[in-house]
Amino acid sequence: MYQGIRISGFGGQGIISSGVLLAYAGMLDGKHVTFFPSYGAEMRGGTANCSVVISSDEVTTPVVSQPDTVIVMNEPSLAKFEPLVKPGGVMIINESLVKSRPKRTDIKVVLVACNRIADELKAPKIANMAALGAFCKQTGALSIEAIAKAMPKVFKRAKPEMLELNVQALRKGAGLN
Amino acid sequence: MSEKLLMKGNDALAEGAVRAGCRFFAGYPITPQNEVPEYMSWRQPQVGGAFVQAESEVAAINMLYGAAATGTRSMTSSSSPGISLKQEGISYAAGADLPIFFVNVARGGPGLGNISGAQGDYFQSVRGGGHGDYRTFVMAPYSVEEMGNFPLHCFEVAEKYRVPAMILTDGVLGQMMEPLEFKFPEVDPKTLKEPDWALGECKGRKNRLVGSYDLVEGKLEHVTLARAKRYAQIEAEEVLFEDRLCADADIVLVAYGIAARACSAAVKMARAEGIKVGLFRPITLWPFPKRQLRELADRVQAFLVVEMSLGQLVDDVRLAVEFEAPVHLHARPSGVTPSGEEILKKIKEALKAGKGEPVCSSR
């Protein structure tokens, strides 16, 4: 299996930590993984994006130029990444913040109200987890359990209650309760 | 030996150096290597070492000169423009036979260039870089795991032959995260034997002098020739390389670092189409694996060098194969990583050209 992912949004939406979490979960799952952040002239409030590869084979290039899956967390990211998705690929869109819709008809579009899910859990910072939950459901590349297992390794200083809320957001994002 | 970790290449370099016994780091910020000094700023105090954010690259390399002269495993890091600034100090360390260790997390150039990963500093690394007749031991990792495990080897070679050693890597490997294991037991620098040239307390022993300056007629040549013997020994004994699927290959790709990863994608695609392609990856850039490439030249139809520079590595390959086989070039300078697909296309062009004029391309 090979799964190339791009995650994109505002700085502060947990774009980079979502990418690290996916990579860590893939590693614990026994897969080959890479994570690569965009590190251009980024600034606070600007856009951030990263590439993650999860593969059963050795990963060659860590920069995903033709993603199987794109997670779009804010409006500007949609226009930037819509042209790159592989035909037949998946675009997960945070419909709480993204009002436009892709024009392409050869990709699967999945709408998730990430911010609403996070607000319902009274933890507005974990909207990214709802998107990762949808990622698990749509791609099958990772299980929610694998991500939950990686969480304490990546968020080393998070309290157990907070990690539990993260798992709930993952499940809600995947349409589970 | 240790658990599997998920680390950034730059962090792996820093942690690998600390585990290798590095107890002095001086540096100055520049993208894309900033994680190295940042990591060292908290990690060195943990192990009783020293971290200095210097006022400039020139200051940092000269602090390294002083620290290495005491026999302490010492390191600096920077990225291309900063490494240019350090060249004077590197030449002085080479002239004083000091085993300094430095890292270039290279970016696109020339000049201020950009902050993407690039390989334009190849000549600077393997042909000296600073002034005078000297060589630097150069290793080129291609994974985060190698980033973490090569610093120890650099220190050991540097100390064995009393030469500067460096890791030449790039912004992609520096910034990416990948699983790694540190495959060596942590070095306690207290258990290392104090070198017989190191400066420090000289009570009860003869004075020692570390320097690169000698005006006595003929003496400097004598010193340089003695050093050249050590260079010859390094060339004979310290070459490292990896060859993949070269045994039955019609054409062999030659690449190092991140460019070699793009090549391994191309090899996979080509083999799936029945094209017999191999990959030869120099791990030490100096000493260069000349003999191994010369031997391959008798068996293959052609070589295709893939580098993220205008055509630097290709010179060493041509010198090594002594024109026994055509050497083609695919060059992507100034911060562009080639894709497996484009390399596959070049492989086909190179095979079609056969023994004719080498194919050279940059897109």
Side-chain angles (χ1 to χ4, degrees):
Chain A
M1 63 80 73
Y2 175 93
Q3 177 71 223
I5 308 142
R6 288 299 277 265
I7 310 174
S8 181
F10 290 123
Q13 276 186 307
I15 304 302
I16 301 299
S17 49
S18 298
V20 175
L21 186 60
L22 285 185
Y24 211 111
M27 179 178 83
L28 293 181
D29 227 16
K31 305 284 199 318
H32 294 266
V33 296
T34 57
F35 161 86
F36 186 72
S38 65
Y39 64 100
E42 316 289 12
M43 56 184 184
R44 191 158 79 163
T47 59
N49 80 81
C50 65
S51 294
V52 178
V53 178
I54 302 169
S55 171
S56 47
D57 261 341
E58 186 189 26
V59 182
T60 55
T61 171
V63 184
V64 179
S65 47
Q66 260 209 318
D68 299 282
T69 307
V70 170
I71 298 176
V72 171
M73 292 301 286
N74 71 351
E75 186 71 46
S77 303
L78 181 72
K80 186 169 176 181
F81 287 100
E82 184 182 343
L84 303 186
V85 188
K86 237 180 233 173
V90 179
M91 198 167 210
I92 296 168
I93 297 174
N94 175 15
E95 66 171 333
S96 306
L97 296 185
V98 182
K99 298 304 161 202
S100 310
R101 294 292 171 258
K103 290 172 193 71
R104 280 177 63 177
T105 52
D106 61 341
I107 55 175
K108 184 173 182 188
V109 176
V110 179
L111 303 176
V112 187
C114 300
N115 288 72
R116 186 170 55 77
I117 290 172
D119 288 342
E120 282 168 9
L121 292 168
K122 298 190 174 53
K125 284 194 294 190
I126 62 172
N128 56 343
M129 292 298 139
L132 296 190
F135 168 82
C136 293
K137 185 182 170 195
Q138 293 301 327
T139 68
L142 284 174
S143 64
I144 287 177
E145 291 70 32
I147 294 182
K149 215 169 115 191
M151 260 181 214
K153 304 272 188 190
V154 177
F155 306 131
K156 288 193 181 103
R157 278 176 291 187
K159 294 193 179 99
E161 320 71 278
M162 195 62 209
L163 294 179
E164 178 48 37
L165 280 176
N166 274 271
V167 176
Q168 285 183 36
L170 278 173
R171 293 180 58 81
K172 281 180 183 278
L176 305 166
N177 277 308
Chain B
M1 195 137 291
S2 70
E3 59 170 329
K4 217 171 207 191
L5 304 164
L6 183 70
M7 278 184 111
K8 217 174 204 200
N10 283 338
D11 291 342
L13 275 172
E15 179 61 28
V18 169
R19 291 185 188 212
C22 173
R23 291 298 179 269
F24 180 84
F25 182 95
Y28 187 81
I30 182 171
T31 306
Q33 63 85 53
N34 284 320
E35 292 81 3
V36 182
E38 192 276 334
Y39 194 97
M40 285 297 195
S41 70
W42 59 268
R43 188 72 172 99
Q44 282 295 347
Q46 280 185 351
V47 292
F51 164 83
V52 184
Q53 179 171 329
E55 67 269 36
S56 71
E57 287 86 350
V58 177
I61 191 72
N62 284 295
M63 288 173 189
L64 207 64
Y65 184 99
T70 69
T72 304
R73 288 192 168 171
S74 307
M75 173 187 180
T76 188
S77 67
S78 191
S79 180
S80 308
I83 293 292
S84 293
L85 289 167
K86 290 181 196 285
Q87 289 301 336
E88 182 199 37
I90 295 164
S91 168
Y92 274 55
D97 300 311
L98 286 177
I100 60 165
F101 168 51
F102 62 102
V103 176
N104 182 357
V105 185
R107 57 191 250 174
L112 203 50
N114 60 27
I115 57 173
S116 305
Q119 297 184 328
D121 302 345
Y122 179 86
F123 279 156
Q124 186 196 53
S125 308
V126 304
R127 298 285 195 272
H131 60 281
D133 256 345
Y134 75 94
R135 292 291 196 178
T136 304
F137 179 72
V138 187
M139 295 190 86
Y142 102 130
S143 64
V144 171
E145 182 149 289
E146 290 190 348
M147 297 277 262
N149 285 284
F150 283 2
L152 176 65
H153 191 63
C154 282
F155 279 122
E156 287 175 345
V157 171
E159 286 163 7
K160 182 173 175 191
Y161 300 96
R162 294 188 65 186
V163 295
M166 79 175 287
I167 285 179
L168 177 62
T169 181
D170 68 87
V172 180
L173 279 160
Q175 291 296 320
M176 70 186 274
M177 285 178 112
E178 207 171 31
L180 85 154
E181 271 175 66
F182 290 101
K183 295 183 165 169
F184 58 93
E186 206 165 327
V187 176
D188 177 357
K190 289 195 195 81
T191 62
L192 297 172
K193 200 174 154 264
E194 193 199 83
D196 60 9
W197 47 264
L199 305 186
E201 278 183 57
C202 72
K203 203 174 172 183
R205 65 157 167 81
K206 268 182 82 179
N207 285 357
R208 293 170 183 168
L209 185 66
V210 168
S212 64
Y213 185 57
D214 211 316
L215 294 183
V216 178
E217 204 180 314
K219 186 132 174 264
L220 190 60
E221 187 194 26
H222 177 77
V223 170
T224 305
L225 288 174
R227 194 178 297 124
K229 280 189 186 156
R230 304 205 302 274
Y231 292 156
Q233 200 188 342
I234 293 174
E235 289 199 282
E237 292 173 18
E238 302 295 345
V239 169
L240 294 171
F241 65 96
E242 182 194 1
D243 57 348
R244 284 195 204 179
L245 303 170
C246 287
D248 71 335
D250 292 327
I251 183 166
V252 166
L253 306 178
V254 186
Y256 71 95
I258 193 71
R261 286 176 78 124
C263 285
S264 63
V267 168
K268 211 180 285 177
M269 286 184 250
R271 287 269 168 181
E273 290 185 23
I275 307 170
K276 288 180 178 164
V277 184
L279 170 61
F280 187 92
R281 175 171 77 92
I283 294 173
T284 52
L285 301 181
W286 192 85
F288 194 72
K290 285 188 249 185
R291 186 174 53 79
Q292 292 78 4
L293 277 166
R294 178 63 188 81
E295 283 166 11
L296 265 181
D298 292 331
R299 306 207 307 263
V300 303
Q301 287 176 29
F303 292 94
L304 171 62
V305 175
V306 178
E307 57 180 298
M308 287 154 65
S309 42
L310 271 180
Q312 302 186 27
L313 172 66
V314 71
D315 276 12
D316 275 343
V317 177
R318 287 198 176 122
L319 285 170
V321 307
E322 296 170 337
F323 297 93
E324 286 300 320
V327 178
H328 306 278
L329 168 67
H330 182 52
R332 297 303 303 265
S334 297
V336 178
T337 310
S339 69
E341 287 82 3
E342 72 182 65
I343 298 168
L344 178 61
K345 210 174 119 209
K346 300 298 165 187
I347 291 169
K348 290 174 181 170
E349 284 173 27
L351 279 171
K352 210 170 141 198
K355 293 267 177 200
E357 225 9 55
V359 177
C360 292
S361 61
S362 54
R363 281 197 78 91

